[in-house]
């Protein structure tokens, strides 16, 4: 059975882009694989952030994941900084990681460009990500396209470490790309992202869902009500695919192409289906929000289970690298 690892930054609440692009797939994967899903708070602090908000956002993200259907009886859900082995293995990996490879990473270059002074944590981001995955010897990493380069680097680090310290010890993980078309933001311009304010939150109440959907961008060719549209050029149709049943999709596509419906008619149907599909998620989230101590308990349990695996891998990696084991005191 392939072991699966994936991580998500603690941006607070999940939005429907995260849900359709990643989390829905994770919920499926937990049924067939040995999965770990991690809220990566140590990655979040490599960019400017507000310390007073981090803990709250971390718990909120974890709650959203549980509300969206990750089930601690079927997978391990935990917070990265609760398992200190991630940082230790990350340090060990920096010693086999070529600086040039880190400087070549597109994500690094993009983020560094937007910063006045570039910090070492940002450069080392993909090394920590490598430790996340290899600590559990995971072989399958469900991610978006923007992470492909990080996965290549991960395999490179595994090869170099293995070449020097132990052939075959770390596996070379492969990305699993979701086939779902990428959901754009409601502006139809950029990827859906909380920082761009173009999202629908997974826990938004029904009236907020409609308020946000109503003005959202559709096929730009539909200028007037009578212009026919092309569903394949419409971001709203992409979202429909995530929430509406196949026969509805057929009706939607037909009425778009023939201008039988206006965009508002189409959005009405989507809003209804989205609100119905997310009702149980909202309900579970409200339940968890009322019991923060219960969420923390589930995360502590997740961290303990993750740590049992992490300790074994790290202990063996330390041994192979020749570090002197600490004798037990007394
Ligand atoms: N870098 C990933 C992202 O921004 C998050 C992440 C951190 C991750 N560690 C990971 C993803 C390990 C997969 C595996 O989306």
């Amino acid at each position: 059975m392939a072991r699966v690892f994936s991580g998500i930054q603690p941006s607070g609440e999940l939005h429907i882009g995260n849900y359709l692009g990643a989390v829905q797939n994770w919920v499926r994967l937990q049924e067939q694989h040995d999965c770990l899903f991690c809220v990566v708070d140590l990655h979040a602090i490599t960019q400017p952030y507000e310390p007073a908000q981090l803990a709250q956002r971390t718990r909120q993200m974890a709650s959203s994941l549980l509300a969206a259907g990750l089930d601690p009886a079927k997978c391990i859900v935990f917070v990265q900084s609760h398992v200190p082995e991630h940082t230790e293995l990350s340090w060990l990996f920096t010693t086999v990681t070529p600086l040039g490879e880190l400087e070549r990473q597109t994500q690094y270059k993009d983020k560094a460009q937007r910063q006045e002074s570039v910090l070492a944590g940002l450069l080392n981001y993909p090394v920590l990500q490598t430790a996340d995955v290899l600590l559990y010897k995971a072989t399958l990493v469900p991610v978006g396209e923007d992470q492909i380069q990080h996965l290549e680097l991960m395999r490179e680090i595994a090869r170099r470490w293995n070449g020097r310290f132990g052939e075959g010890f770390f596996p070379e993980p492969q990305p699993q790309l979701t086939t779902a078309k990428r959901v754009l933001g409601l502006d139809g311009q950029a990827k859906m992202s909380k920082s761009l304010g173009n999202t629908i939150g997974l826990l938004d109440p029904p009236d907020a869902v409609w308020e946000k959907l109503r003005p959202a961008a559709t096929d730009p060719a539909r200028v007037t009500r009578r212009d026919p549209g092309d569903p394949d050029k419409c971001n709203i149709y992409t979202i429909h695919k995530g929430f509406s049943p196949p026969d509805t999709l057929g009706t939607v596509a037909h009425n778009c192409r023939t201008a039988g419906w206006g965009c508002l008619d189409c959005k009405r149907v989507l809003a209804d289906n989205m609100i119905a599909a997310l009702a149980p998620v909202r309900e579970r989230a409200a339940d968890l929000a009322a019991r923060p101590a219960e969420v923390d308990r589930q995360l502590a349990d997740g961290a303990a289970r993750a740590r049992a695996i992490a300790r074994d891998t790290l202990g063996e990696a330390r041994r192979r690298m020749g570090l002197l084991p600490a004798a037990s005191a007394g």
Side-chain angles (χ1 to χ4, degrees):
M1 185 158 64
R3 180 170 279 160
V4 173
F5 187 102
S6 199
I8 188 163
Q9 295 221 15
S11 54
E13 190 186 298
L14 280 171
H15 56 66
I16 59 164
N18 307 131
Y19 183 67
L20 299 179
V23 179
Q24 238 183 10
N25 180 39
W26 297 1
V27 172
R28 279 193 294 268
L29 285 170
Q30 70 177 346
E31 302 293 339
Q32 306 136 14
H33 296 282
D34 179 9
C35 296
L36 296 105
F37 298 112
C38 184
V39 181
V40 293
D41 51 351
L42 296 173
H43 278 112
I45 62 175
T46 61
Q47 292 221 77
Y49 76 104
E50 195 48 68
Q53 290 175 354
L54 183 61
Q56 163 72 5
R57 289 188 171 195
T58 302
R59 188 194 284 117
Q60 214 183 7
M61 178 53 77
S63 303
S64 288
L65 292 175
L66 296 170
L70 291 186
D71 178 354
K74 296 178 180 164
C75 66
I76 298 179
V77 181
F78 71 108
V79 174
Q80 188 183 32
S81 68
H82 292 178
V83 181
E85 285 78 3
H86 287 245
T87 39
E88 186 172 345
L89 186 61
S90 174
W91 175 258
L92 300 183
F93 282 159
T94 60
T95 66
V96 295
T97 308
L99 185 56
E101 298 283 336
L102 294 176
E103 288 168 338
R104 243 197 301 286
Q105 298 294 309
T106 317
Q107 291 246 321
Y108 165 72
K109 289 193 283 187
D110 286 352
K111 290 177 186 167
Q113 219 172 33
R114 285 183 260 123
Q115 243 112 91
E116 273 175 36
S117 85
V118 179
L119 303 174
L122 192 62
L123 183 69
N124 282 315
Y125 181 113
V127 185
L128 179 59
Q129 186 166 347
T130 300
D132 292 344
V133 173
L134 295 187
L135 202 42
Y136 305 97
K137 299 187 177 178
T139 53
L140 203 59
V141 184
V143 281
E145 290 173 323
D146 61 345
Q147 297 296 314
I148 294 295
Q149 203 185 14
H150 286 165
L151 265 289
E152 277 164 16
L153 178 64
M154 212 174 270
R155 291 193 292 276
E156 172 75 16
I157 293 174
R159 274 195 296 275
R160 285 179 180 255
W161 193 96
N162 289 348
R164 175 109 171 77
F165 302 112
E167 234 18 277
F169 184 69
F170 287 115
E172 291 182 27
Q174 296 296 328
Q176 188 219 39
L177 291 173
T178 40
T179 47
K181 195 174 153 211
R182 199 169 72 156
V183 178
L184 294 179
L186 299 177
D187 50 9
Q189 303 292 318
K191 182 174 163 176
M192 188 174 280
S193 147
K194 189 165 168 172
S195 60
L196 296 175
N198 60 6
T199 68
I200 294 180
L202 204 56
L203 310 181
D204 278 354
D207 49 335
V209 169
W210 177 242
E211 284 308 303
K212 290 178 181 177
L213 265 186
R214 199 165 36 104
T218 56
D219 175 3
R222 283 201 91 175
V223 182
T224 73
R225 168 68 182 78
R226 271 165 311 161
D227 294 329
D230 179 353
D232 296 322
K233 294 193 177 129
C234 180
N235 189 44
I236 294 298
Y237 188 68
T238 304
I239 303 177
H240 253 298
K241 286 187 198 158
F243 292 105
S244 299
D247 53 329
T248 307
L249 288 177
T251 311
V252 167
H254 174 77
N255 281 301
C256 178
R257 291 200 180 93
T258 57
W261 286 357
C263 290
L264 272 184
D265 302 316
C266 167
K267 287 171 174 177
R268 262 282 168 223
V269 176
L270 174 59
D272 288 346
N273 289 337
M274 191 187 297
I275 289 164
L278 295 179
V281 178
R282 266 199 316 277
E283 219 169 278
R284 278 196 293 271
D287 180 48
L288 291 168
R291 297 183 298 148
E294 169 60 15
V295 174
D296 291 350
R297 196 197 57 73
Q298 295 198 19
L299 292 175
D301 185 60
R305 289 159 64 206
R307 217 169 167 190
I309 307 169
R311 255 198 220 108
D312 276 356
T313 311
L314 183 66
E316 187 59 20
R318 290 174 55 124
R319 199 184 65 72
R320 291 181 188 230
M321 289 180 78
L323 297 165
L324 176 67
S328 44

